[in-house]
Amino acid sequence: NEKYALGLHKSKEVLGNLKRLIEQNQSLGEDFFLELEDIFIQADLGVDTVLYFIDTLRRKMKLNNVTDPKEIEEMIVDEMFKIYLQDEIVIADLDYVDHETNIYLIVGVNGVGKTTSIGKLAHQLRLDKKKVLVVAGDTFRAGAIEQLRVWAERAKVDFFAKEPGSDPSSVIYDALQKAKKEHYDVILCDTAGRLQNKVNLMNELDKMRRVIEKEMPNGLRETLLVIDATTGQNGLKQAEIFKEVTKVTGIILTKMDGSAKGGIVLAIRHLYKLPIKYIGLGEKIDDLVLFDIEEYIYGLFA
Ligand code: GDP
C-alpha cells in the first residue's frame, strides 16, 4: 500500500532506527537495551510502556540466547504485536450493521482534525454506497458549523445543523427525526471538544447519548476519539480524560504523516486498551485509511 508507506515516512524516522540498531548490534549488551529504550521513548511510546516493553524483551532475549539479527527483529516485532493486540485479536474495522441507521459520535479537542476526519469518513462511506448525514453537534463555535458544512459538501453528503448556541442534544434529536424519515445508513455527529470543563463536557455527551438511546435504541454504533499524533504525550493525556468522560470505542489518529512519534500507536493500545480504527495521512479528502497494525509494524522494518 503506497499511500501507507508514503504517509508514514515520518514515523519511520524514529522507529526506523530500530533496523539500524539491530544490524549494528549483535551482542545484546546493556548498551543495546538502552538504545532500544531511547528509540521507543523518542517515538512517544510513553515511559511506562517502554519500561515494560524493554523488560520483556530483555528477559526473552537472554532466556532464548538470541544473537541473530533476524531473530532479534522477529522478537521485537512479536512484542510490538503483543503490546498492540494484548490478549484479544481485534479487527479494528468500523462497527457497522447493515439495514440500520449507524450513529457515530466523533469526540476530541479542537484542532486535532475532527472536522477534517468527519469529512474524510463521510466521503469514504458515500463511496461505499452508504447514505450519510453529517450533524453539527459542536454548536459552541459558529466557525465549527460552517467548516463542517464545507466538508459535507466536499464529501457530497447531507448536512444538518441548527443555530450556533443550540443545545447539542436538541441538534441530535432533530437530526434523528430527519434520519427516521429519510432512512440514513450513517450519521456522523460532531461534538464540542472543550476539555476546560470536564463536567460540562460529560453532561453534554451524556445528554446526547440519552437522546440517541431513546430515539434510536442501539443505534449508537461507536464513539470515536480523534487524537493528533503530533501532540505525543498530550494526545495520550486526552485519551485518558475522554475515556473518563464518555465511553470511547476507538481512535482516529490524525496527522500521522507529520509525526515522527509513531509509538503513540502502541501506547494508546497498551495504556487505554483502545483500538486505532483510522489514521489520517494528510489534509485531503482521501487521506484517511483504516489502520492496519501489521502493515504498520512491518513497514517500520521494511
Ligand atoms: P478540528 O478543530 O478538530 O475540527 O480540526 P480540523 O479538522 O479543522 O483540522 C485542523 C488542521 O489539521 C487543519 O489544517 C487540517 O487540514 C489538519 N489536518 C487534519 N487531519 C490531518 C492529517 O491527517 N494530516 C495532516 N497533515 N493534517 C491534518
Side-chain angles (χ1 to χ4, degrees), residues 25 42 49 63 104 116 136 138 207 211 217 241 243 300:
N25 220 310
Q42 274 180 48
T49 313
L63 196 71
Y104 304 92
T116 311
D138 179 359
K207 218 164 138 192
V211 168
I241 296 173
K243 246 198 108 177
L300 297 174

Side-chain angles (χ1 to χ4, degrees), residues 192-210:
R194 300 184 307 283
L195 271 189
Q196 294 85 331
N197 191 333
K198 259 203 310 197
V199 177
N200 270 357
L201 184 65
M202 193 183 298
N203 288 341
E204 189 168 309
L205 292 173
D206 268 358
K207 218 164 138 192
M208 290 173 92
R209 296 176 78 103
R210 281 203 303 276

Side-chain angles (χ1 to χ4, degrees), residues 25-37:
N25 220 310
Q26 282 139 50
S27 58
L28 294 192
E30 236 355 74
D31 284 358
F32 172 82
F33 290 106
L34 282 177
E35 203 170 324
L36 202 59
E37 199 172 285

Side-chain angles (χ1 to χ4, degrees), residues 50-184:
V50 170
L51 292 180
Y52 164 85
F53 180 65
I54 301 292
D55 247 28
T56 316
L57 273 176
R58 189 192 274 115
R59 222 166 358 89
K60 290 208 172 153
M61 286 181 181
K62 296 239 156 104
L63 196 71
N64 296 296
N65 218 349
V66 290
T67 46
D68 178 39
K70 212 62 231 143
E71 271 181 75
I72 298 173
E73 182 180 314
E74 272 166 26
M75 228 170 230
I76 294 177
V77 167
D78 231 43
E79 283 314 309
M80 285 171 84
F81 273 117
K82 276 192 200 141
I83 284 196
Y84 189 78
L85 297 172
Q86 303 278 323
D87 35 6
E88 345 105 78
I89 306 290
V90 184
I91 312 290
D93 219 337
L94 202 61
D95 192 3
Y96 182 87
V97 181
D98 276 322
H99 314 297
E100 284 185 25
T101 301
N102 296 267
I103 305 165
Y104 304 92
L105 286 179
I106 315 296
V107 303
V109 303
N110 297 330
V112 292
K114 215 161 20 131
T115 314
T116 311
S117 298
I118 292 173
K120 291 169 172 175
L121 209 50
H123 167 74
Q124 270 190 20
L125 290 162
R126 184 187 60 83
L127 291 183
D128 216 18
K129 306 277 187 289
K130 313 282 195 274
K131 187 175 176 188
V132 180
L133 180 66
V134 165
V135 178
D138 179 359
T139 56
F140 187 71
R141 295 181 305 156
I145 299 178
E146 269 326 295
Q147 207 195 339
L148 195 63
R149 185 196 307 278
V150 171
W151 268 104
E153 267 166 28
R154 218 175 268 166
K156 302 190 177 65
V157 301
D158 294 345
F159 177 73
F160 183 83
K162 290 175 70 169
E163 298 296 299
S166 306
D167 188 335
S169 60
S170 84
V171 177
I172 187 73
Y173 178 88
D174 290 359
L176 293 181
Q177 307 317 310
K178 177 178 167 69
K180 282 181 194 173
K181 278 193 223 108
E182 299 174 36
H183 304 288
Y184 283 91

Side-chain angles (χ1 to χ4, degrees), residues 206-243:
D206 268 358
K207 218 164 138 192
M208 290 173 92
R209 296 176 78 103
R210 281 203 303 276
V211 168
I212 295 170
E213 188 53 44
K214 185 145 181 293
E215 295 304 309
M216 278 192 187
N218 308 315
L220 181 57
R221 207 60 69 217
E222 299 222 32
T223 300
L224 298 172
L225 170 64
V226 183
I227 291 183
D228 175 344
T230 63
T231 60
Q233 296 302 304
N234 232 326
L236 290 183
K237 187 78 201 156
Q238 288 162 21
E240 188 180 328
I241 296 173
F242 270 96
K243 246 198 108 177

